Amino acid sequence: MMRILQLNLKHCEAAQDPLCDTISKLRIDVAILCEQYKNLAPSNTWLADADSQAAIWVQRGIPVQERPSRVHPYFAWARIGGIFFFSVYAPPRLSAMEFSALLANITKEARGRRPLVIAGDFNAWSTEWGCRETRPQASILLDSLALLDAVLLNTGDVPTFNGRQGSSIVDLTFVCKTLTPRVKSWTVSGWYTHSDHQAIVFEIEDTGTFTVEPHVRHHRRMCDASMSKVNPRRRRELVYWWTAEIADLRRSCLRARRLFQRSRGRQDEEIHSANNTSARHLLRVAIKTSKRRCWRALCDETKQPAPLCCGAQRGGGSVPAGAASSGGAYNRPSPWRNSKDLSRGSRSAPRPARMAYPTQRSKSLMPHDPEIFLRVYTTCLETGVFPSVWKHQRLVLIAKPGKPPDEPSSYRPLCMLDTMGKILGENHMRSAGSLHRETRRPLGATVWLPERAITIDAIEDVISTARNAVAGRRWFRGTKKYCAVVTLDVRNAFDSAGGTTSSPLCAACSCPITC
């Protein structure tokens, strides 16, 4: 069963902010949106038109099977789960000729594509779907979609738009005739959206041919098994700024809007209208205040000393069975020659930040009894099971000197790992370095460069390759070859490179230094 949400966001930031929470609570698979405030990432799940007026947002890991080769204005389409979804927005400023041209482009793209769902805000009035009058755009719309054998799903007289000028039904949902028996529970939802438009929710039944592809389902199961959550039953909020106060204000907005809609034509209409406006304003202010408070709290954490062992205080993960036992034979050799190599893997240099108790305890026990740690690491490598606490990171933002504190680019991110996991990684780096120096693998092979000596060796290999290429008498029918050295400079990625080492090497090959 696929659940679809249809909504016009009216280019409102306050309407798009709670969208993630709405999709999570309503368990939506595909969202058909109009007039979005901004396009979201990634582009493989958020498909928008050329003018950012219509979009399709895919959720819950469902793959996009087909998408247009080029984007079109005022509508976007994608094939999801075997169904072609079209998200359309027709602005009210369009003339009859422009409206006909838009529908002609839609029918041209939709021709030959079945099953089909065409939904959006058409700004077309007709008594056939509950409006007070019929306008020319409605006749053009029905004549155009008749070529696609489309059927209207709108039922009842519940308005999809409620504004100060009145209410209307302009958000329409069309499907092809072959898909009509599979559509279930089409309703205008009463969920508060912070927009003038109401959300439409409907379901499309599974026939057996439409599901998430088997390999995608198996891939998700593999990912869930290898990277299990700390507590899968706990429902996590999708937005970091969500609070109980915002939830209460949202309920108040919903109640104020209902009272305002029911009071139209009465003496207290102005009072309820003012209450509705005030409730919307309070919700908008609360969301912005919560975002600002969360950002300041994140900035304040950078000013506090951070422990090096970040995962010790979190739950989850255990040492594999047999790791602490004294006996047992191992088929594969240990990556370290003896326990002294393991004890040297823990750096003893002082750190500027205070070390937590588990970090100090691990480093103090390592020189005294390295055999225990050796058995733990060897068992982890043999079984392929590593404690999840080793994989936890603690994000620490380091302020850049002379930068404004309110800008995100003024901080340098640093992810701090658990000490036990870092010791395992450092020993692997030492083993990889010795292997590279012994085997002298070519540049074409995949080489891990963890140490400065290995990096220097790689630079020297590049220089020697360039010298051998240009060594000769001539290029045309000669021994000389064309050699191109392409460098990739990622911002803030190589700030820690040693200038005393790289400068002579760059000067030897006449390479300009740009950093």
Side-chain angles (χ1 to χ4, degrees):
M1 187 75 71
M2 178 182 286
R3 289 179 61 85
I4 295 95
L5 171 73
Q6 178 182 342
L7 178 61
N8 188 321
L9 299 173
K10 295 295 290 183
H11 292 296
C12 181
E13 181 183 6
Q16 188 164 338
D17 282 339
L19 184 61
C20 294
D21 182 73
T22 302
I23 289 177
S24 175
K25 291 185 177 179
L26 297 181
R27 303 183 66 84
I28 299 299
D29 299 311
V30 178
I32 301 175
L33 307 173
C34 297
E35 292 191 281
Q36 61 269 24
Y37 175 73
K38 63 179 178 180
N39 292 326
L40 303 180
S43 58
N44 60 334
T45 59
W46 180 280
L47 304 107
D49 67 326
D51 299 330
S52 298
Q53 299 289 333
I56 299 175
W57 196 9
V58 186
Q59 297 288 319
R60 301 169 67 86
I62 300 179
V64 177
Q65 300 168 334
E66 187 178 349
R67 59 194 305 172
S69 57
R70 65 181 185 90
V71 293
H72 304 272
Y74 301 124
F75 75 94
W77 69 269
R79 181 170 174 258
I80 306 166
I83 302 176
F84 290 91
F85 290 90
F86 280 72
S87 177
V88 184
Y89 175 70
R93 65 176 180 274
L94 295 181
S95 62
M97 185 177 300
E98 293 173 337
F99 188 71
S100 301
L102 171 61
L103 293 176
N105 293 334
I106 295 174
T107 53
K108 180 180 178 180
E109 289 289 327
R111 187 176 293 113
R113 292 184 167 93
R114 298 291 186 278
L116 183 66
V117 175
I118 301 178
D121 183 0
F122 293 89
N123 282 303
W125 287 38
S126 177
T127 55
E128 293 190 14
W129 49 76
C131 295
R132 297 187 300 271
E133 57 179 330
T134 300
R135 296 181 180 178
Q137 284 83 353
S139 303
I140 300 174
L141 176 63
L142 294 177
D143 294 340
S144 300
L145 296 185
L147 303 175
L148 302 174
D149 294 332
V151 179
L152 181 66
L153 294 182
N154 291 58
T155 56
D157 55 354
V158 180
T160 61
F161 172 79
N162 293 281
R164 290 188 174 275
Q165 293 79 12
S167 59
S168 60
I169 302 177
V170 292
D171 299 287
L172 308 177
T173 308
F174 294 90
V175 298
C176 60
K177 289 184 179 180
T178 58
L179 192 61
T180 305
R182 295 168 52 187
V183 178
K184 306 295 181 182
S185 65
W186 186 96
T187 56
V188 179
S189 175
W191 193 271
Y192 183 75
T193 61
H194 210 94
S195 173
D196 295 338
H197 291 255
Q198 295 293 112
I200 297 175
V201 180
F202 60 97
E203 299 177 347
I204 298 180
E205 201 173 35
D206 182 15
T207 60
T209 57
F210 150 70
T211 57
V212 180
E213 282 78 357
H215 67 276
V216 176
R217 188 186 306 110
H218 295 326
H219 180 71
R220 292 180 59 187
R221 291 177 180 175
M222 288 165 35
C223 293
D224 293 339
S226 59
M227 296 176 288
S228 59
K229 299 179 181 179
V230 178
N231 188 359
R233 297 183 179 180
R234 182 170 64 92
R235 296 188 61 182
R236 302 179 60 183
E237 298 293 346
L238 296 181
V239 287
Y240 62 93
W241 44 262
W242 190 263
T243 61
E245 179 186 1
I246 295 177
D248 295 337
L249 291 175
R250 186 175 184 178
R251 285 190 290 268
S252 301
C253 285
L254 181 60
R255 182 174 182 275
R257 188 191 64 182
R258 289 176 178 174
L259 293 176
F260 169 63
Q261 293 175 354
R262 295 171 184 174
S263 64
R264 284 178 177 168
R266 301 178 183 175
Q267 297 179 355
D268 55 349
E269 179 180 0
E270 294 295 333
I271 299 177
H272 290 293
S273 176
N275 293 338
N276 183 33
T277 304
S278 176
R280 290 165 59 91
H281 174 72
L282 291 177
L283 177 60
R284 189 182 303 110
V285 171
I287 292 176
K288 292 185 178 181
T289 303
S290 180
K291 287 183 177 180
R292 194 180 301 110
R293 182 173 59 252
C294 293
W295 168 247
R296 290 177 179 174
L298 183 61
C299 295
D300 292 340
E301 288 183 3
T302 62
K303 302 177 182 179
Q304 300 177 1
L308 294 181
C309 182
C310 55
Q313 298 177 356
R314 300 181 181 180
S318 59
V319 178
S325 60
S326 58
Y330 304 110
N331 298 327
R332 283 181 286 181
S334 172
W336 308 286
R337 288 182 291 270
N338 49 52
S339 58
K340 294 183 179 180
D341 292 343
L342 176 65
S343 62
R344 286 198 295 267
S346 176
R347 298 178 182 177
S348 58
R351 303 281 179 148
R354 290 183 304 175
M355 295 185 294
Y357 173 76
T359 303
Q360 296 177 343
R361 191 58 177 265
S362 299
K363 291 188 175 183
S364 61
L365 290 177
M366 185 75 66
H368 296 286
D369 197 355
E371 294 293 337
I372 297 179
F373 295 89
L374 181 63
R375 287 195 296 269
V376 171
Y377 288 142
T378 305
T379 305
C380 290
L381 294 174
E382 288 184 348
T383 59
V385 179
F386 299 89
S388 59
V389 70
W390 294 0
K391 308 171 187 178
H392 289 172
Q393 297 181 358
R394 184 176 187 272
L395 176 63
V396 177
L397 300 179
I398 301 177
K400 299 179 181 179
K403 299 290 184 178
D406 296 335
E407 295 293 334
S409 60
S410 303
Y411 298 88
R412 191 182 308 278
L414 177 64
C415 295
M416 310 191 73
L417 294 171
D418 183 75
T419 303
M420 295 289 292
K422 290 174 63 178
I423 295 175
L424 178 63
E426 290 175 2
N427 284 277
H428 271 293
M429 290 168 59
R430 185 185 300 106
S431 302
S434 59
L435 178 64
H436 173 73
R437 283 188 290 269
E438 294 173 1
T439 59
R440 301 296 298 177
R441 298 170 63 180
L443 286 176
T446 302
V447 181
W448 189 10
L449 304 177
E451 295 181 358
R452 177 171 302 206
I454 304 178
T455 306
I456 296 175
D457 293 342
I459 296 176
E460 292 178 350
D461 290 340
V462 173
I463 296 175
S464 62
T465 303
R467 288 173 178 171
N468 294 334
V470 298
R473 301 186 61 181
R474 62 179 182 271
W475 279 278
F476 182 69
R477 295 182 180 179
T479 58
K480 279 191 176 183
K481 299 179 181 179
Y482 292 98
C483 180
V485 178
V486 181
T487 61
L488 177 64
D489 185 10
V490 181
R491 183 181 180 184
N492 298 335
F494 306 112
D495 291 352
S496 58
T500 57
T501 303
S502 58
S503 298
L505 296 176
C506 294
C509 60
S510 301
C511 178
I513 302 176
T514 59
C515 59

